[in-house]
């Protein structure tokens, strides 16, 4: 249509020029032919422009379709499973006071994580690990005449993050509260339940609960209980940007353990140092007579300061961690409440994925008998029990990409406030099972050296 209008306008102009021009007829004919040639050239250009415009439109449409397809492909790839994991080989030796022979063993730990992304707001993870049912360890000792080693479900959770500030997680998950490098919590424990986290700028907060034991009253039974053991908790904190290279994190946490006093939510039947009793007045009627239960309740308040800085081009970290259990009862042996734990440590450097990186650290910790809930306590420090104190010296060096050597030396003392009774061999007689008991053992020396080869992928 546009081309026809242009042609009509040009023809009219030619006709007008022919009517009023004084030039000879021959000259007029030549001019008209020249104008016609120009018109033909103009029409050809218009056709080419229209053709180019159509091609450009087609190209734009194809590019848009390709971009959409690429976006879909990227989203699909992000939504697909990707796998990470690690393998650790450990040599571990023990030197414990009053033990006849030092112990040495080799152990392995293998973990495989399947990470998934459903869309921009929903992610999650499944993971398996060696170690069987033990919630505080994925290690398997090289033993049993080359027997196959057990795997167990380590993680199974989904996270919904509706925006940049909020995150909600359900399932068997990683710790949802921030921690220091202390040994208040074992790194292998993965709480089971729900959590909500909020982060805005330098402020962060979270709330969570962890199922410890589920109990149901049997139908038609006159005895029993439906009291479950659950940990409720919350944390608030703030990251103080002191300078470009120095940052201080301050946080306060509260852990309320419900349904633990008078019950035995104890893995393997061990309280891991927490005070127990067999008193029928305290223990639940669901427990058989003479079965030990926890004497105290556990309402633990924790506060910490964790500072990071850059010194000599390497990271420096210093922390102080303090906890107190307001639910502790008076220990019948010590005659007082043993309700306090504290830890402090310094780490310099970081043994990361890159070859040649290294780190050194020193930590001191003291945990009174009922200060922390023993089921969550680190399983290495003080033989995995409360009522312990001492130092930990550790270091690491990355010998090749993703291959790291670590060494950790625990120099601890056991039974600081409540004495142990230790059974030892009677060296006076050669009988193989002739033993004697040493009572009132305080501050028993406990040394543990771990040499690790870690591979991550």
């Amino acid at each position: 249509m546009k081309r026809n209008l242009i042609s009509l306008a040009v023809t009219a102009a030619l006709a007008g020029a022919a009517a009023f021009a004084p030039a000879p007829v021959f000259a007029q004919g030549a001019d008209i032919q020249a104008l016609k040639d120009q018109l033909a050239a103009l029409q050809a250009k218009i056709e080419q422009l229209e053709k180019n415009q159509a091609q450009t439109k087609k190209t734009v449409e194809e590019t848009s379709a390709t971009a959409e397809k690429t976006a879909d492909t990227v989203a699909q790839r992000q939504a697909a499973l990707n796998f990470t994991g690690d393998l650790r080989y450990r040599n571990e030796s023990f030197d414990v006071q009053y033990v006849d022979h030092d112990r040495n063993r080799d152990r392995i730990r293998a973990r495989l994580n399947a990470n998934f992304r459903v869309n921009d707001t929903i992610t999650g993870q499944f993971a398996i690990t060696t170690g069987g049912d033990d919630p505080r360890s994925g290690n398997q000792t090289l033993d049993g005449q080359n027997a196959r080693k057990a795997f167990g479900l380590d993680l199974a959770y989904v996270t919904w993050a509706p925006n940049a500030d909020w995150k909600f997680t359900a399932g068997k998950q990683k710790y949802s509260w921030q921690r220091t490098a202390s040994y208040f919590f074992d790194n292998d424990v993965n709480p089971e339940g729900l959590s909500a986290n909020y982060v805005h700028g330098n402020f962060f907060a979270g709330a969570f609960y962890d199922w410890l034991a589920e109990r149901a009253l049997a139908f038609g039974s006159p005895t029993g209980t439906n009291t479950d053991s659950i940990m409720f908790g919350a944390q608030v904190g703030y990251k103080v940007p002191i300078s470009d290279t120095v940052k201080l994190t301050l946080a306060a946490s509260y852990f309320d353990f419900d349904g633990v006093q008078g019950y035995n939510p104890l893995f393997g039947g061990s309280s891991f140092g927490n005070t127990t009793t067999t008193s029928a007045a305290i223990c639940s009627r669901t427990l058989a007579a003479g079965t030990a239960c926890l004497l105290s309740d556990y309402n633990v308040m924790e506060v910490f300061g964790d500072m990071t800085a850059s010194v000599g081009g390497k990271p420096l970290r210093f922390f102080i961690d303090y906890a107190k259990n307001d639910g502790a009862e008076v220990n019948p042996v010590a005659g007082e409440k043993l309700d306090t734990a504290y830890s402090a440590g310094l780490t310099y450097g970081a043994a990361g994925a890159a070859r040649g990186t290294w780190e050194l650290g020193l930590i001191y910790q003291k945990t009174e008998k009922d200060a922390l809930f023993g089921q969550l306590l680190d399983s290495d420090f003080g033989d995995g029990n409360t009522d312990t104190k001492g130092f930990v010296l550790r270091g690491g060096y990355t010998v090749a990409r993703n291959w790291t050597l670590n060494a950790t030396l625990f120099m601890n003392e056991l039974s600081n406030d409540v004495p142990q009774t230790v059974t030892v061999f009677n060296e006076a007689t050669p009988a193989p099972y002739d033993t004697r008991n040493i009572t009132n053992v305080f501050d028993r020396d406990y040394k543990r050296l771990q040499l690790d080869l870690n591979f991550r992928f």
Side-chain angles (χ1 to χ4, degrees):
M1 180 66 183
K2 188 183 294 184
R3 186 170 63 250
N4 293 336
L5 290 175
I6 293 175
S7 301
L8 183 61
V10 173
T11 303
L14 292 175
F20 296 100
V25 176
F26 180 79
Q28 291 178 355
D31 291 341
I32 291 173
Q33 184 60 43
L35 288 173
K36 287 181 177 181
D37 292 341
Q38 293 176 9
L39 177 60
L42 181 60
Q43 288 177 335
K45 289 182 179 180
I46 292 172
E47 290 175 355
Q48 185 62 39
L49 287 173
E50 290 180 343
K51 189 182 205 181
N52 292 342
Q53 185 179 11
Q55 184 61 39
T56 300
K57 182 179 179 181
K58 181 180 179 182
T59 302
V60 170
E61 292 175 350
E62 291 177 348
T63 302
S64 178
T66 301
E68 292 177 358
K69 185 177 180 181
T70 301
D72 290 342
T73 301
V74 171
Q76 290 171 3
R77 288 178 179 175
Q78 289 177 337
L81 289 175
N82 67 82
F83 295 91
T84 59
D86 64 271
L87 174 66
R88 182 178 70 196
Y89 191 99
R90 166 175 290 176
N91 175 264
E92 191 169 37
S93 58
F94 300 81
D95 180 5
V96 183
Q97 189 179 10
Y98 300 118
V99 173
D100 189 47
H101 296 287
D102 293 342
R103 183 183 184 186
N104 187 273
R105 64 184 177 183
D106 282 7
R107 315 188 85 188
I108 58 171
R109 185 190 67 186
R111 298 185 294 192
L112 179 63
N113 310 314
N115 313 290
F116 64 87
R117 178 183 182 276
V118 177
N119 52 43
D120 290 339
T121 63
I122 298 177
T123 58
Q125 187 178 72
F126 296 99
I128 58 174
T129 183
T130 52
D133 295 333
D134 190 347
R136 299 196 301 168
S137 178
N139 294 307
Q140 285 282 284
T141 302
L142 303 186
D143 189 20
Q145 292 75 49
N146 304 311
R148 287 179 171 80
K149 309 307 178 186
F151 272 87
L153 182 65
D154 194 32
L155 292 167
Y157 68 87
V158 61
T159 297
W160 176 49
N163 53 51
D165 294 339
W166 284 98
K167 182 176 72 173
F168 303 90
T169 304
K172 187 171 180 60
Q173 58 191 275
K174 301 174 182 178
Y175 287 110
S176 58
W177 58 91
Q178 294 199 28
R179 301 174 295 140
T180 67
S182 74
Y183 292 93
F184 285 3
F185 300 95
D186 193 288
N187 289 327
D188 286 331
V189 171
N190 293 316
E192 302 171 2
L194 299 173
S195 65
N197 294 91
Y198 176 78
V199 178
H200 187 78
N202 293 321
F203 175 80
F204 61 91
F208 39 85
Y209 84 90
D210 174 20
W211 280 90
L212 300 172
E214 190 273 334
R215 304 182 182 92
L217 181 63
F219 292 106
S221 174
T223 61
T225 180
N226 58 358
T227 300
D228 302 316
S229 296
I230 301 175
M231 181 199 73
F232 300 88
Q235 182 183 70
V236 294
Y238 192 81
K239 297 182 178 180
V240 184
I242 298 176
S243 69
D244 292 341
T245 59
V246 180
K247 293 179 175 57
L248 174 64
T249 299
L250 300 173
S253 309
Y254 184 73
F255 305 90
D256 184 357
F257 292 82
D258 185 49
V260 296
Q261 185 179 24
Y263 294 89
N264 64 339
L266 312 173
F267 178 80
S270 174
S271 68
F272 301 117
N274 291 154
T275 304
T276 60
T277 181
T278 56
S279 170
I282 298 175
C283 295
S284 169
R285 68 178 186 271
T286 60
L287 301 178
T291 302
C293 69
L294 290 175
L295 174 67
S296 296
D297 196 5
Y298 291 84
N299 303 314
V300 181
M301 170 65 76
E302 179 196 13
V303 292
F304 69 77
D306 197 345
M307 185 186 71
T308 59
S310 179
V311 177
K314 297 185 181 299
L316 175 70
R317 181 182 184 184
F318 173 74
F319 75 89
I320 298 177
D321 207 339
Y322 175 85
K324 184 179 179 63
N325 176 23
D326 289 335
E329 300 290 339
V330 173
N331 183 276
V333 177
E336 60 179 327
K337 293 183 179 181
L338 304 174
D339 57 2
T340 304
Y342 54 87
S343 182
L346 182 70
T347 302
Y348 183 62
R355 177 185 177 185
T357 54
W358 56 270
E359 64 184 49
L360 288 173
L362 178 66
I363 294 174
Y364 178 82
Q365 180 164 310
K366 177 177 174 58
T367 306
E368 292 183 342
K369 198 166 182 64
D370 295 311
L372 300 172
F373 188 60
Q375 309 298 304
L376 301 180
L377 192 70
D378 183 86
S379 64
D380 296 328
F381 186 94
D383 202 28
N385 295 303
T386 59
D387 198 17
T388 56
K389 65 183 178 183
F391 290 90
V392 180
L393 178 63
R394 60 188 186 185
Y397 181 78
T398 303
V399 295
R401 184 167 183 81
N402 294 331
W403 283 88
T404 305
L405 289 174
N406 292 93
T408 307
L409 175 61
F410 295 87
M411 299 172 289
N412 309 148
E413 294 179 354
L414 315 181
S415 302
N416 308 144
D417 298 304
V418 178
Q420 285 183 332
T421 296
V422 181
T423 301
V424 299
F425 286 105
N426 189 351
E427 298 179 358
T429 61
Y433 298 109
D434 186 15
T435 60
R436 63 188 177 93
N437 293 330
I438 302 177
T439 59
N440 294 320
V441 175
F442 284 95
D443 299 327
R444 184 182 182 188
D445 286 337
Y446 176 89
K447 295 183 178 63
R448 183 174 189 167
L449 176 62
Q450 296 172 340
L451 301 175
D452 297 338
L453 177 60
N454 295 280
F455 170 69
R456 296 177 177 84
F457 61 91

